[in-house]
């Protein structure tokens, strides 16, 4: 930021304030630019303020932080404090202690105004949070907080008492690798017995907290519910009866001991990469539950009293990567479940047994992602999900969709899906042809096939059986070179999109003289896009394309459907993309 910012006393909006950056030669020029001290006179600031602190040493900022006087800026409703992410090297080891103290000093001085609604802290290197965020002071210094987000605070060991904030609705904690317990033993006695335990919290996300062991730490209770029973997280083959016995034993053991509180309004819970966390409060009102790379005991403790006190039947979305989680949840919690997402799962036979038992009678949408062990749909028990309306299968490298109706085991999963409306098959390298069983799904309205390099074409024999099909998408299927004759017999097809398939297919679909054009000319919306090169397709978020849309013209088509690339990382390629465009078309 330029020097003299402190003179702009009438300024009301300042989205980002950057201090401590470096010039191109690497030398520090903070003395010639604005510093935290300049914020001291900007008392008319309104709305959101983001302060970015750069450099490897923030010793000067510690002295300036109090001068910034954020506490008096009552117009601020959102505040983000973020330090520059420093990659530690051997040369930095001697400065690690100083950097920790500098961060703590800066954050201590940057106390927000009491009416703040949203607080974000990122890349903080201190071991402790400031006094204004301590157990005793947070509810008085920032009583109106609605959203809190702490990210990459890897050295921070203890957290404030979030549970007593009366207006807190959203809590996001990520990358707090040193935190072992969400609340200390002193907070347990004060908050767990209180009726004000997270009275307004609606969304909770915990991720990348590898040392997190539980919600509370209580002296002398190392072996009880606080840490959960000793059960290996790899015992995914446990039967429902075994889990039921463990839950009964757990409830009996705790019947005369401390009873954990519950989240009264928590609707969305996400826990990711917290493998040692084995306990948390009860979740009777949760509607969206996403658990990946977590300890199997976590769900048993969270639902241990669910069926005995307040039955949970509000679950609308469940995301898991382990069959054990699905088995651990009480049946009454799954009765009304409409959406299930399974990612990185390995024990498909156990999951299939859950489907076969009728535990999810209301399931309408199933999302299967990134399973390296799934080889056949017969393992899933798909034929038992007769009410399924939306099915997505993606990134399953070993899945081989057989061309036989029996799927190799006398099972016909596709024929049983008489309610299916939408099917997405993404990145299935072993799929050469579509399974013949799809011809029996006359209710199918949308079919999307993406990234299937081995797909040789659409079925000529039975494509005309999909009489309800309204939308057909082929994306990045380079071996598909022609359309089947039966596509002209699909009376309801309104949208045909072909992206980055073979050049031959592009020419065959050309209006008006392409060989396949008569087959698709009746479709109201036709889009055939061929990128200049697969290289551009994979790298550039915007690429120059040739397109047919009832005619021929050049279009600039967004390829933002590729989720694996960060647009910030691709920024250097933007210029090259447009450079090649002008090079080829304006020589």
């Amino acid at each position: 930021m330029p020097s003299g910012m402190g003179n702009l006393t009438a300024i009301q909006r300042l989205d980002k304030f950057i201090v401590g950056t470096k010039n191109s030669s690497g030398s520090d020029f903070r003395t010639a630019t604005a510093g935290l001290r300049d914020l001291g006179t900007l008392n008319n600031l309104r709305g959101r303020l983001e302060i970015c602190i750069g450099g490897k040493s923030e010793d000067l900022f510690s002295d300036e932080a109090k001068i910034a006087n954020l506490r008096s800026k009552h117009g601020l409703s959102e505040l983000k404090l973020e330090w520059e992410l420093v990659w530690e090297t051997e040369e930095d080891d001697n400065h690690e202690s100083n950097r920790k103290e500098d961060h703590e000093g800066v954050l201590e001085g940057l106390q927000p105004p009491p009416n703040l609604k949203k607080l974000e802290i990122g890349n903080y290197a201190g071991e402790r949070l400031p006094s204004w965020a301590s157990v005793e002071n947070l509810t008085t210094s920032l009583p109106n907080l609605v959203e809190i987000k702490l990210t990459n605070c890897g050295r921070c060991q203890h957290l404030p008492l979030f549970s007593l904030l009366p207006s807190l609705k959203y809590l996001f904690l990520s990358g707090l690798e040193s935190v072992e317990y969400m609340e200390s033993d002193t907070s347990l006695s004060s908050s767990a017995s209180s009726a004000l335990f997270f009275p307004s919290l609606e969304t909770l996300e915990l991720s990348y907290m590898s040392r997190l062991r539980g919600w509370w730490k209580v002296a002398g209770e190392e072996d009880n519910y606080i840490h959960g029973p000793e059960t290996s997280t790899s015992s995914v083959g446990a039967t429902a009866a075994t889990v039921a016995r463990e839950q009964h034993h757990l409830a009996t053991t705790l019947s005369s001991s401390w009873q954990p509180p519950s989240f009264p309004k928590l609707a969305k819970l996400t826990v990711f990469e917290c493998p040692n966390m084995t306990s948390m409060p009860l979740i009777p009102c949760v509607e969206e539950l996403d658990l990946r790379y977590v300890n199997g005991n976590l769900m048993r403790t969270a639902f241990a009293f669910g069926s005995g006190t307040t039955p949970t039947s509000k679950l609308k979305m469940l995301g898991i990567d382990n069959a054990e989680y699905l088995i651990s949840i009480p049946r009454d919690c799954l009765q009304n479940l409409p959406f299930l997402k399974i990612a990185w799962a390995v024990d498909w036979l156990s999951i299939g047994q859950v489907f076969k038992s009728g535990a999810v009678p209301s399931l309408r949408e199933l999302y299967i992602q990134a399973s390296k062990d799934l080889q056949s749909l017969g393992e899933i028990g798909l034929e038992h999900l007769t009410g399924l309306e939306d099915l997505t299968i993606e990134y399953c490298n070993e899945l081989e969709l057989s061309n036989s109706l029996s799927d190799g085991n006398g099972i016909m999963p596709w024929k049983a899906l008489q309610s299916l409306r939408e099917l997405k098959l993404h990145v299935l390298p072993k799929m050469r042809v579509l399974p013949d069983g799809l011809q029996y799904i006359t209710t199918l309205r949308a079919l999307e096939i993406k990234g299937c390099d081995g797909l040789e074409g659409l079925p000529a024999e039975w494509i005309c059986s999909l009489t309800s099909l309204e939308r057909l998408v082929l994306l990045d299927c380079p071996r598909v070179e022609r359309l089947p004759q039966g596509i002209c017999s699909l009376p309801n097809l309104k949208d045909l999109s072909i992206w980055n398939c073979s050049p031959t297919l592009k020419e065959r679909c050309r209006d008006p003289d392409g060989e396949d054009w008569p087959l698709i000319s009746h479709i109201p919306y036709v889009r055939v896009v061929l990128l200049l090169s697969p290289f551009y397709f994979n790298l550039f978020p915007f690429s120059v394309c040739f397109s047919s849309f009832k005619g021929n013209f050049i279009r600039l088509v967004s390829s933002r459907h590729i989720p694996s690339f960060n647009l910030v990382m691709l920024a250097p390629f933007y210029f090259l993309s447009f450079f090649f465009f002008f090079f080829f078309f304006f020589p």
Side-chain angles (χ1 to χ4, degrees):
M1 304 295 291
S3 60
M5 288 292 296
N7 298 324
L8 305 177
T9 55
I11 191 171
Q12 295 186 4
R13 180 173 179 178
L14 183 60
D15 293 337
K16 181 177 289 189
F17 189 83
I18 304 174
V19 294
T21 55
K22 295 184 177 181
N23 58 23
S24 58
S25 64
S27 60
D28 206 354
F29 63 95
R30 67 181 65 174
T31 57
T33 59
L36 292 176
R37 62 187 180 279
D38 291 277
L39 291 173
T41 56
L42 307 183
N43 293 321
N44 292 312
L45 291 177
R46 301 288 185 271
R48 173 183 170 85
L49 173 63
E50 178 180 348
I51 301 178
C52 301
I53 304 175
K56 293 185 178 181
S57 176
E58 291 81 12
D59 52 337
L60 294 180
F61 304 141
S62 299
D63 298 331
E64 297 181 2
K66 291 184 179 180
I67 303 177
N69 196 22
L70 295 184
R71 187 177 183 181
S72 66
K73 296 170 176 43
H74 299 287
L76 291 179
S77 58
E78 300 182 15
L79 177 63
K80 179 177 181 179
L81 305 174
E82 186 173 31
W83 279 260
E84 179 184 0
L85 187 61
V86 177
W87 298 101
E88 299 292 348
T89 63
E90 293 181 0
E91 297 178 356
D92 297 319
D93 290 342
N94 295 330
H95 304 286
E96 182 177 331
S97 178
N98 291 335
R99 193 163 72 92
K100 173 183 72 69
E101 295 176 0
D102 291 339
H103 281 215
E104 292 176 352
V106 172
L107 193 57
E108 182 68 42
L110 294 178
Q111 179 174 350
N115 55 325
L116 196 73
K117 302 292 185 181
K118 181 179 179 179
L119 175 63
E120 297 182 49
I121 300 176
N123 303 331
Y124 174 63
E127 294 181 357
R128 60 179 179 84
L129 291 175
S131 60
W132 49 264
S134 64
V135 172
E136 299 82 6
N137 297 330
L138 183 61
T139 54
T140 55
S141 61
L142 297 172
N144 299 312
L145 279 176
V146 175
E147 180 175 344
I148 297 176
K149 186 175 183 179
L150 304 181
T151 58
N152 298 327
C153 304
R155 294 193 181 97
C156 186
Q157 299 177 358
H158 303 286
L159 296 176
L161 191 57
F162 296 127
S163 58
L164 294 183
L165 289 171
S167 303
L168 187 63
K169 292 184 178 182
Y170 310 98
L171 178 59
F172 305 90
L173 305 177
S174 179
L176 278 69
E177 296 289 347
S178 298
V179 173
E180 294 188 7
Y181 297 94
M182 294 292 294
E183 298 185 1
S184 64
D185 52 351
T186 56
S187 65
L188 177 62
S189 60
S190 61
S191 67
S193 59
S194 173
L196 298 178
F197 181 80
F198 284 108
S200 303
L201 192 66
E202 298 175 359
T203 300
L204 173 63
E205 293 190 12
L206 306 175
S207 61
Y208 299 105
M209 300 176 68
S210 59
R211 296 186 184 178
L212 185 63
R213 302 179 62 186
W215 203 270
W216 302 275
K217 180 180 180 180
V218 181
E221 296 188 356
E222 294 294 325
D223 298 325
N224 67 7
Y225 173 81
I226 301 302
H227 287 187
E230 295 295 333
T231 304
S232 171
T233 58
S234 62
S235 58
V236 294
T239 64
T242 302
V243 174
R245 288 195 299 270
E246 291 178 357
Q247 290 180 337
H248 175 73
H249 173 72
L250 193 60
T252 304
T253 303
L254 296 171
S255 59
S256 60
S257 61
W258 172 76
Q259 299 291 312
S262 62
F263 292 103
K265 294 184 179 181
L266 188 66
K268 182 178 180 180
L269 172 63
T270 300
V271 184
F272 180 74
E273 284 281 5
C274 299
N276 294 312
M277 185 179 182
T278 58
S279 69
M280 68 178 305
L282 306 182
I283 48 176
C285 301
V286 70
E287 296 180 1
E288 297 183 26
L289 181 61
D290 194 352
L291 306 172
R292 285 173 289 165
Y293 299 101
V294 300
N295 192 295
N297 295 330
L298 183 62
M299 280 301 92
R300 298 176 191 172
T301 56
F303 285 100
F305 300 90
S307 59
T309 54
T310 53
T312 305
S313 57
K314 301 179 180 180
L315 205 57
K316 297 179 180 179
M317 192 284 288
L318 175 63
I320 60 172
D321 65 353
N322 195 316
E324 187 179 3
Y325 309 154
L326 190 62
I327 297 172
S328 299
I329 299 177
R331 286 293 185 91
D332 55 358
C333 302
L334 299 175
Q335 288 298 308
N336 299 319
L337 179 69
F339 179 28
L340 176 61
K341 179 178 180 179
I342 307 175
W344 301 99
V346 293
D347 191 7
W348 285 102
L349 292 179
S350 296
I351 294 176
Q353 290 298 319
V354 175
F355 292 161
K356 184 177 181 180
S357 68
V360 285
S362 302
L363 194 64
R364 297 294 178 263
E365 185 173 352
L366 177 61
Y367 189 103
I368 300 173
Q369 181 186 52
S371 176
K372 63 180 181 180
D373 297 316
L374 182 61
Q375 298 181 358
S376 169
L377 291 182
E379 303 176 35
I380 305 179
L382 204 62
E383 66 275 9
H384 302 290
L385 305 178
T386 55
L388 200 63
E389 298 178 356
D390 192 329
L391 174 62
T392 300
I393 306 175
E394 66 178 22
Y395 299 106
C396 297
N397 294 337
E398 300 301 321
L399 180 60
E400 189 170 353
L401 295 178
S402 174
N403 197 33
S404 64
L405 295 179
S406 64
D407 198 30
N409 292 309
I411 301 173
M412 297 197 305
W414 298 109
K415 195 172 183 179
L417 303 181
Q418 292 302 305
S419 299
L420 196 65
R421 302 289 187 270
E422 188 167 347
L423 175 63
K424 303 184 187 72
L425 303 174
H426 297 167
V427 194
L428 306 176
K430 287 195 173 183
M431 186 176 72
R432 300 289 182 266
V433 295
L434 293 179
D436 282 342
L438 289 182
Q439 65 183 292
Y440 294 103
I441 309 180
T442 56
T443 57
L444 194 66
R445 296 179 181 177
L447 176 60
E448 182 177 298
I449 306 171
K450 180 175 73 173
C452 297
D453 295 341
L455 184 66
E456 299 174 353
L458 297 177
E461 298 82 4
W462 54 262
I463 189 70
C464 58
S465 300
L466 304 179
T467 54
S468 299
L469 195 66
E470 299 177 357
R471 178 172 176 263
L472 176 60
V473 178
L474 292 174
L475 192 153
D476 200 22
C477 300
R479 298 184 65 180
V480 178
E481 297 185 345
R482 61 188 306 162
L483 296 177
Q485 180 72 28
I487 201 170
C488 64
S489 302
L490 299 177
N492 294 306
L493 189 59
K494 300 179 176 63
D495 183 351
L496 174 62
S497 297
I498 302 175
W499 292 74
N500 203 43
C501 293
S502 70
T504 302
L505 181 60
K506 166 66 176 64
E507 292 301 319
R508 293 180 65 91
C509 294
R510 183 183 296 275
D511 174 19
D513 56 350
E515 294 183 51
D516 289 344
W517 178 251
L519 305 179
I520 59 177
S521 59
H522 68 287
I523 303 174
Y525 185 72
V526 177
R527 179 171 52 181
V528 183
V529 176
L530 178 64
L531 299 171
L532 292 175
S533 166
F535 175 78
Y536 298 122
F537 179 76
N538 289 325
L539 286 184
F540 300 134
F542 295 95
S543 302
V544 178
C545 310
F546 296 103
S547 176
S548 291
F549 181 79
K550 296 294 185 180
N552 301 309
F553 56 91
I554 298 173
R555 299 184 63 197
L556 190 65
V557 181
S558 170
S559 53
R560 292 184 179 179
H561 51 265
I562 308 176
S564 58
F565 289 91
N566 188 314
L567 296 185
V568 176
M569 296 172 60
L570 295 175
F573 297 104
Y574 292 174
F575 173 76
L576 293 177
S577 179
F578 288 103
F579 171 79
F580 282 112
F581 168 73
F582 287 106
F583 178 79
F584 282 110
F585 296 101
F586 302 98

PDB file of all heavy atoms in Angstrom, residues 546-560:
ATOM      1  N   PHE A 546     -13.841 -24.488 -32.219  1.00  0.00           N
ATOM      2  CA  PHE A 546     -14.729 -24.498 -33.365  1.00  0.00           C
ATOM      3  C   PHE A 546     -16.046 -25.110 -32.910  1.00  0.00           C
ATOM      4  O   PHE A 546     -16.063 -26.130 -32.243  1.00  0.00           O
ATOM      5  CB  PHE A 546     -14.137 -25.342 -34.494  1.00  0.00           C
ATOM      6  CG  PHE A 546     -12.869 -24.787 -35.034  1.00  0.00           C
ATOM      7  CD1 PHE A 546     -11.655 -25.345 -34.686  1.00  0.00           C
ATOM      8  CD2 PHE A 546     -12.901 -23.685 -35.880  1.00  0.00           C
ATOM      9  CE1 PHE A 546     -10.479 -24.835 -35.185  1.00  0.00           C
ATOM     10  CE2 PHE A 546     -11.724 -23.162 -36.381  1.00  0.00           C
ATOM     11  CZ  PHE A 546     -10.507 -23.736 -36.034  1.00  0.00           C
ATOM     12  N   SER A 547     -17.136 -24.483 -33.254  1.00  0.00           N
ATOM     13  CA  SER A 547     -18.416 -24.961 -32.748  1.00  0.00           C
ATOM     14  C   SER A 547     -19.457 -25.033 -33.856  1.00  0.00           C
ATOM     15  O   SER A 547     -19.441 -24.234 -34.793  1.00  0.00           O
ATOM     16  CB  SER A 547     -18.917 -24.043 -31.638  1.00  0.00           C
ATOM     17  OG  SER A 547     -20.183 -24.438 -31.216  1.00  0.00           O
ATOM     18  N   SER A 548     -20.352 -26.008 -33.732  1.00  0.00           N
ATOM     19  CA  SER A 548     -21.518 -26.085 -34.613  1.00  0.00           C
ATOM     20  C   SER A 548     -22.752 -25.883 -33.762  1.00  0.00           C
ATOM     21  O   SER A 548     -22.986 -26.615 -32.811  1.00  0.00           O
ATOM     22  CB  SER A 548     -21.596 -27.455 -35.290  1.00  0.00           C
ATOM     23  OG  SER A 548     -20.561 -27.608 -36.215  1.00  0.00           O
ATOM     24  N   PHE A 549     -23.485 -24.870 -34.061  1.00  0.00           N
ATOM     25  CA  PHE A 549     -24.740 -24.617 -33.372  1.00  0.00           C
ATOM     26  C   PHE A 549     -25.715 -24.115 -34.419  1.00  0.00           C
ATOM     27  O   PHE A 549     -25.913 -22.938 -34.605  1.00  0.00           O
ATOM     28  CB  PHE A 549     -24.534 -23.577 -32.267  1.00  0.00           C
ATOM     29  CG  PHE A 549     -25.783 -23.279 -31.504  1.00  0.00           C
ATOM     30  CD1 PHE A 549     -26.222 -24.146 -30.533  1.00  0.00           C
ATOM     31  CD2 PHE A 549     -26.523 -22.144 -31.777  1.00  0.00           C
ATOM     32  CE1 PHE A 549     -27.384 -23.871 -29.830  1.00  0.00           C
ATOM     33  CE2 PHE A 549     -27.677 -21.867 -31.075  1.00  0.00           C
ATOM     34  CZ  PHE A 549     -28.108 -22.733 -30.096  1.00  0.00           C
ATOM     35  N   LYS A 550     -26.271 -25.084 -35.158  1.00  0.00           N
ATOM     36  CA  LYS A 550     -27.102 -24.767 -36.320  1.00  0.00           C
ATOM     37  C   LYS A 550     -26.317 -23.907 -37.303  1.00  0.00           C
ATOM     38  O   LYS A 550     -26.849 -22.988 -37.922  1.00  0.00           O
ATOM     39  CB  LYS A 550     -28.380 -24.050 -35.875  1.00  0.00           C
ATOM     40  CG  LYS A 550     -29.301 -24.888 -35.014  1.00  0.00           C
ATOM     41  CD  LYS A 550     -29.889 -26.050 -35.755  1.00  0.00           C
ATOM     42  CE  LYS A 550     -30.903 -26.790 -34.899  1.00  0.00           C
ATOM     43  NZ  LYS A 550     -31.500 -27.929 -35.585  1.00  0.00           N
ATOM     44  N   GLY A 551     -25.028 -24.134 -37.402  1.00  0.00           N
ATOM     45  CA  GLY A 551     -24.179 -23.345 -38.275  1.00  0.00           C
ATOM     46  C   GLY A 551     -22.746 -23.411 -37.804  1.00  0.00           C
ATOM     47  O   GLY A 551     -22.446 -24.067 -36.812  1.00  0.00           O
ATOM     48  N   ASN A 552     -21.849 -22.738 -38.513  1.00  0.00           N
ATOM     49  CA  ASN A 552     -20.440 -22.801 -38.189  1.00  0.00           C
ATOM     50  C   ASN A 552     -19.924 -21.412 -37.837  1.00  0.00           C
ATOM     51  O   ASN A 552     -20.107 -20.457 -38.576  1.00  0.00           O
ATOM     52  CB  ASN A 552     -19.635 -23.329 -39.382  1.00  0.00           C
ATOM     53  CG  ASN A 552     -20.108 -24.708 -39.797  1.00  0.00           C
ATOM     54  OD1 ASN A 552     -20.212 -25.587 -38.951  1.00  0.00           O
ATOM     55  ND2 ASN A 552     -20.413 -24.893 -41.072  1.00  0.00           N
ATOM     56  N   PHE A 553     -19.280 -21.310 -36.703  1.00  0.00           N
ATOM     57  CA  PHE A 553     -18.629 -20.075 -36.323  1.00  0.00           C
ATOM     58  C   PHE A 553     -17.651 -20.370 -35.195  1.00  0.00           C
ATOM     59  O   PHE A 553     -17.675 -21.426 -34.587  1.00  0.00           O
ATOM     60  CB  PHE A 553     -19.643 -19.012 -35.890  1.00  0.00           C
ATOM     61  CG  PHE A 553     -20.550 -19.439 -34.777  1.00  0.00           C
ATOM     62  CD1 PHE A 553     -20.209 -19.198 -33.461  1.00  0.00           C
ATOM     63  CD2 PHE A 553     -21.740 -20.078 -35.060  1.00  0.00           C
ATOM     64  CE1 PHE A 553     -21.047 -19.589 -32.439  1.00  0.00           C
ATOM     65  CE2 PHE A 553     -22.577 -20.480 -34.033  1.00  0.00           C
ATOM     66  CZ  PHE A 553     -22.241 -20.232 -32.718  1.00  0.00           C
ATOM     67  N   ILE A 554     -16.779 -19.424 -34.946  1.00  0.00           N
ATOM     68  CA  ILE A 554     -15.780 -19.580 -33.895  1.00  0.00           C
ATOM     69  C   ILE A 554     -16.344 -19.015 -32.605  1.00  0.00           C
ATOM     70  O   ILE A 554     -16.873 -17.905 -32.571  1.00  0.00           O
ATOM     71  CB  ILE A 554     -14.479 -18.846 -34.269  1.00  0.00           C
ATOM     72  CG1 ILE A 554     -13.893 -19.452 -35.550  1.00  0.00           C
ATOM     73  CG2 ILE A 554     -13.455 -18.916 -33.148  1.00  0.00           C
ATOM     74  CD1 ILE A 554     -12.708 -18.693 -36.071  1.00  0.00           C
ATOM     75  N   ARG A 555     -16.199 -19.769 -31.535  1.00  0.00           N
ATOM     76  CA  ARG A 555     -16.719 -19.314 -30.244  1.00  0.00           C
ATOM     77  C   ARG A 555     -15.619 -19.402 -29.205  1.00  0.00           C
ATOM     78  O   ARG A 555     -14.713 -20.217 -29.290  1.00  0.00           O
ATOM     79  CB  ARG A 555     -17.889 -20.183 -29.790  1.00  0.00           C
ATOM     80  CG  ARG A 555     -19.079 -20.193 -30.715  1.00  0.00           C
ATOM     81  CD  ARG A 555     -20.205 -21.001 -30.101  1.00  0.00           C
ATOM     82  NE  ARG A 555     -20.670 -20.387 -28.864  1.00  0.00           N
ATOM     83  CZ  ARG A 555     -21.405 -21.037 -27.963  1.00  0.00           C
ATOM     84  NH1 ARG A 555     -21.719 -22.294 -28.153  1.00  0.00           N
ATOM     85  NH2 ARG A 555     -21.807 -20.428 -26.885  1.00  0.00           N
ATOM     86  N   LEU A 556     -15.715 -18.555 -28.209  1.00  0.00           N
ATOM     87  CA  LEU A 556     -14.834 -18.632 -27.056  1.00  0.00           C
ATOM     88  C   LEU A 556     -15.603 -19.373 -25.987  1.00  0.00           C
ATOM     89  O   LEU A 556     -16.588 -18.873 -25.457  1.00  0.00           O
ATOM     90  CB  LEU A 556     -14.466 -17.230 -26.563  1.00  0.00           C
ATOM     91  CG  LEU A 556     -13.353 -17.155 -25.516  1.00  0.00           C
ATOM     92  CD1 LEU A 556     -12.043 -17.635 -26.130  1.00  0.00           C
ATOM     93  CD2 LEU A 556     -13.201 -15.747 -25.003  1.00  0.00           C
ATOM     94  N   VAL A 557     -15.185 -20.607 -25.693  1.00  0.00           N
ATOM     95  CA  VAL A 557     -15.959 -21.489 -24.838  1.00  0.00           C
ATOM     96  C   VAL A 557     -15.239 -21.692 -23.512  1.00  0.00           C
ATOM     97  O   VAL A 557     -14.038 -21.945 -23.479  1.00  0.00           O
ATOM     98  CB  VAL A 557     -16.183 -22.852 -25.519  1.00  0.00           C
ATOM     99  CG1 VAL A 557     -17.003 -23.766 -24.635  1.00  0.00           C
ATOM    100  CG2 VAL A 557     -16.896 -22.631 -26.842  1.00  0.00           C
ATOM    101  N   SER A 558     -15.954 -21.556 -22.446  1.00  0.00           N
ATOM    102  CA  SER A 558     -15.366 -21.784 -21.130  1.00  0.00           C
ATOM    103  C   SER A 558     -15.292 -23.272 -20.844  1.00  0.00           C
ATOM    104  O   SER A 558     -16.241 -24.007 -21.088  1.00  0.00           O
ATOM    105  CB  SER A 558     -16.212 -21.118 -20.046  1.00  0.00           C
ATOM    106  OG  SER A 558     -15.782 -21.521 -18.773  1.00  0.00           O
ATOM    107  N   SER A 559     -14.167 -23.736 -20.340  1.00  0.00           N
ATOM    108  CA  SER A 559     -14.020 -25.137 -19.941  1.00  0.00           C
ATOM    109  C   SER A 559     -13.805 -25.223 -18.444  1.00  0.00           C
ATOM    110  O   SER A 559     -12.929 -25.894 -17.943  1.00  0.00           O
ATOM    111  CB  SER A 559     -12.852 -25.785 -20.687  1.00  0.00           C
ATOM    112  OG  SER A 559     -11.668 -25.037 -20.544  1.00  0.00           O
ATOM    113  N   ARG A 560     -14.618 -24.513 -17.703  1.00  0.00           N
ATOM    114  CA  ARG A 560     -14.480 -24.486 -16.253  1.00  0.00           C
ATOM    115  C   ARG A 560     -15.024 -25.741 -15.588  1.00  0.00           C
ATOM    116  O   ARG A 560     -15.022 -25.847 -14.371  1.00  0.00           O
ATOM    117  CB  ARG A 560     -15.201 -23.257 -15.684  1.00  0.00           C
ATOM    118  CG  ARG A 560     -14.534 -21.956 -16.077  1.00  0.00           C
ATOM    119  CD  ARG A 560     -15.221 -20.775 -15.418  1.00  0.00           C
ATOM    120  NE  ARG A 560     -14.562 -19.534 -15.778  1.00  0.00           N
ATOM    121  CZ  ARG A 560     -14.969 -18.338 -15.359  1.00  0.00           C
ATOM    122  NH1 ARG A 560     -16.006 -18.241 -14.573  1.00  0.00           N
ATOM    123  NH2 ARG A 560     -14.331 -17.251 -15.736  1.00  0.00           N
TER     124      ARG A 560
END
